[in-house]
Amino acid sequence: VVINGAAKEIGRAAVVAITKARGMEVAGAVDSYLVGEDIGKICDMEEALEIPILNDLTMVLGSISQSKATAVVVDFTDPSTVYDNVKQATAFGMRSIVYVPQIKMETVSALSAFCEKASMGCLVAPTLSIGSILLQQAAISASFHYNNVEIVESKPNARDFPSQDAIQIANNLTNLGQIYNREDISTDIPARGQVLGEDGVRVHSLVLPGISSSTTVYFSRPGEVYTLKHDVTDVQSLMPGLLLAIRKVVRIKNLVYGLEKFL
């Protein structure tokens, strides 16, 4: 496995998780930060992995392609570089996993066409959290029984809002033949939150230092409130999903959008 974006917090967590996983090994580390440093030392592992961080993806892929082992490139970089990164990995016969929040859907469409033509597997994952996916699935089931729903999310620092998780939940709930929150679906009062889609799903975002990253979906009708909540306290929560994705992506020959397709 090659980690592109290895010096990031999630990249370092991925290096540790892959090193411990059965049947996997870290074969390369790419980043523009801490270039030349051993990725094992950067991750505070007991022993160095003797894999330096390089800032040249092509060089890393070229050296690994000499081996006959199955290779996967995990991309934690930036929406502007994802297409070229996957294209390079495909050229060297390697599958890709893309976890880059805020990636544009036109980029996903272009990648899908490219992977289809090349018959090469790629997973684009809006989330790697299995808990988040289970929350989304539970929300879909609940939506058939309730007429009111609102999403409240929290983050310790300001990022792009609504988050990808909230958008994904709202997208899943929309177009199910249900109109939510009919009483105030057309209100333009800012404090009522942002409406995603045309079905009245409202999202409220909290940004408070020290608060955990959390997504809560409230369903209600007269006399009851049904609450679904998922908290993320550490980037480690994404590692089971990442390992699952690595094991599954080597078996496909096209682009798959969403880790839930592998569950």
Side-chain angles (χ1 to χ4, degrees), residues 1 10-11 31 55 77 82 84 91 94 103 119 138 142 148 158 184 192 197 219-220 246 251 258:
V1 181
I10 188 171
D31 209 302
N55 62 356
T77 57
V82 165
D84 288 339
M94 302 178 190
I103 185 173
S119 295
N148 293 277
D184 64 352
R192 287 294 298 118
F219 291 93
S220 76
I246 292 170
R251 304 177 187 176

Side-chain angles (χ1 to χ4, degrees), residues 10-11 96 204:
I10 188 171
S96 297
H204 308 262

